[in-house]
Amino acid sequence: MGAEAPGSGPALRELVREAEISLLECKVCFERFGHRQQRRPRNLPCGHVVCLACVAALAHPRTLALECPFCRRACRGCDTSDCLPVLHLLELLGSALRTAPAAHCAAPCGPGALTCHHTFGGWGTLVNPTGLALCPKTGRVVVVHDGRRRVKIFDSGGGCAHQFGEKGDAAQEIRYPLDVTVTNDCHVVVTDAGDRSIKVFDFFGQIKLVIGGQFSLPWGVETTPQNGVVVTDAEAGSLHLLEVDFPEGVLRRTERLQAHLCSPRGVAVSWLTGAIAVLERPLALEPGACSTTVKVFNATMQLIGQVDTFGLSLFFPSKITASAVTFDHQGNVIVADTSSQAVLCLGKPEEFPVLKPIITHGLSHPVALTFTKENALLVLDSAAHSIKVYKDVVGGVLVCPPVLSLDAQHLPAGIEESGLCRTPWH
């Protein structure tokens, strides 16, 4: 008695939510399918489904030729047809779709829970993105991905402001980017797994420095408050600090901060305490088995906190596979979890583990995280090929610290004039 029927209440709302995310949303524009003309689901000849508005946007205005945004198969806009299964599903779930949003809004959010404010990117704009960074002076968002130009910079509205880093084998080109960071003086640093190097560009895309021959597989990269760069080497199992004269394009010093790490990948630096978090992902001993470990070191590189998949399983009912790590402005460790498609707060290193979910829906495969100065959380969702902006809303009011003003005299020459110094995410 009192058992909940699987077809009613929260169980039904969860089913509807999963259907909306997985089946009833155009994966190009992220709008829900509908019966209205522009949002009608259309079958492409290859079998993929997009809304009619996206078909019109992708098709050539005269020839109507277009490429599928997912498999790149060529077709014509007139060759598309209504996707009847999706239209039927919309009819079957019609009443649930109308009531689910209200029920969702009525559900109380836990302390620190974040809600999605907006999304930008999408397939074609981004292709299998792997790394995300925020320029500390301009507020621009920098993403590395598998497109023809590997580095893409987004403006305050989520539009592409600039892109560079041609795909290729030359030293100044980028073969396979894994991660990116932006230094305090607006230089873009990319780890390139293709030639196992680290490449430094200015904010306009001019190559400044290539650091090769020193790493087995450079992976994660992050800027320190002192404008140094920390890099993980996944194959060598090490963490390195690079001191670079960025304007001159000269490597001044390299220091190995940690050895004997187990396949370190992601790395994050707390600007509050100077602590460094490293995400380890050991090779699986069995097919399907995957374990991750988060280690946190203080400014003197002493281990002050550590938690792994098994340890987290004692506090959380489902398996957690950390794919990205960052710090919030209070020094809490935040991780992305690809197993539950969520973002979790692990608390401060000395409190490990204080597990608190802060994003529990709306993500497919989060691979990178970063906080803005205004305390918005940017999540790079690789499966959706997009950046999702989450904010903390209390009583309908966005809770943010005061916006930090930009001092134009400290910006690199040409940045202010180019309009690249507008602060986004207000």
Side-chain angles (χ1 to χ4, degrees), residues 71-371:
C71 67
R72 297 299 184 184
R73 177 177 169 180
C75 65
R76 286 167 53 87
C78 58
D79 295 333
T80 66
S81 59
D82 279 342
C83 182
L84 296 181
V86 172
L87 289 171
H88 293 162
L89 187 59
L90 282 168
E91 292 178 359
L92 289 172
L93 297 179
S95 59
L97 289 174
R98 286 189 290 271
T99 58
H104 179 265
C105 291
C109 291
L114 304 180
T115 57
C116 188
H117 184 259
H118 70 281
T119 299
F120 59 95
W123 178 267
T125 302
L126 293 174
V127 181
N128 301 324
T130 55
L132 169 73
L134 197 70
C135 179
K137 286 193 180 295
T138 69
R140 293 278 167 122
V141 178
V142 182
V143 179
V144 289
H145 69 131
D146 198 29
R148 185 173 64 84
R149 294 182 179 177
R150 304 301 212 183
V151 181
K152 186 157 287 194
I153 300 176
F154 293 92
D155 62 20
S156 59
C160 178
H162 186 42
Q163 54 185 334
F164 58 85
E166 294 287 337
K167 177 181 178 179
D169 297 334
Q172 73 275 12
E173 297 173 330
I174 302 175
R175 297 186 189 180
Y176 189 79
L178 290 178
D179 201 6
V180 63
T181 188
V182 183
T183 65
N184 302 337
D185 52 1
C186 299
H187 286 83
V188 179
V189 184
V190 179
T191 51
D192 189 346
D195 57 5
R196 301 170 186 260
S197 69
I198 295 172
K199 295 173 180 177
V200 180
F201 302 84
D202 66 21
F203 211 62
F204 300 102
Q206 296 299 312
I207 189 72
K208 301 291 290 187
L209 178 66
V210 178
I211 306 172
Q214 300 190 29
F215 303 98
S216 299
L217 183 58
W219 198 296
V221 62
E222 183 69 294
T223 302
T224 70
Q226 298 77 27
N227 210 36
V229 173
V230 289
V231 181
T232 60
D233 190 327
E235 281 192 2
S238 54
L239 175 69
H240 301 263
L241 172 65
L242 309 181
E243 294 182 2
V244 180
D245 184 336
F246 291 104
E248 296 296 325
V250 177
L251 177 63
R252 298 296 186 191
R253 189 171 74 93
T254 303
E255 179 184 356
R256 187 170 65 178
L257 300 178
Q258 284 290 325
H260 310 299
L261 297 173
C262 192
S263 189
R265 296 191 179 184
V267 62
V269 179
S270 171
W271 283 50
L272 178 67
T273 65
I276 298 177
V278 177
L279 178 61
E280 295 180 321
R281 188 159 184 171
L283 295 177
L285 298 178
E286 299 177 0
C290 183
S291 176
T292 54
T293 302
V294 178
K295 292 182 177 179
V296 183
F297 303 89
N298 63 15
T300 59
M301 295 312 298
Q302 295 177 316
L303 184 65
I304 58 173
Q306 175 177 326
V307 65
D308 60 12
T309 296
F310 175 75
L312 290 173
S313 69
L314 302 178
F315 297 86
F316 202 66
S318 61
K319 178 183 177 182
I320 293 176
T321 305
S323 57
V325 62
T326 191
F327 288 93
D328 68 9
H329 296 308
Q330 290 74 46
N332 296 299
V333 178
I334 310 295
V335 298
D337 174 24
T338 54
S339 293
S340 60
Q341 301 168 332
V343 176
L344 312 171
C345 175
L346 302 183
K348 293 179 171 61
E350 58 272 15
E351 302 170 346
F352 270 7
V354 181
L355 191 63
K356 181 174 67 175
I358 57 176
I359 300 175
T360 56
H361 64 276
L363 298 175
S364 299
H365 192 80
V367 295
L369 307 167
T370 190
F371 279 91

Side-chain angles (χ1 to χ4, degrees), residues 36-79:
R36 292 185 178 182
Q37 186 72 7
Q38 293 299 307
R39 295 297 165 217
R40 289 183 72 84
R42 301 289 290 181
N43 282 316
L44 300 181
C46 58
H48 290 110
V49 181
V50 299
C51 69
L52 182 59
C54 289
V55 171
L58 293 169
H60 189 279
R62 292 192 302 273
T63 65
L64 299 182
L66 62 90
E67 283 186 346
C68 172
F70 306 104
C71 67
R72 297 299 184 184
R73 177 177 169 180
C75 65
R76 286 167 53 87
C78 58
D79 295 333

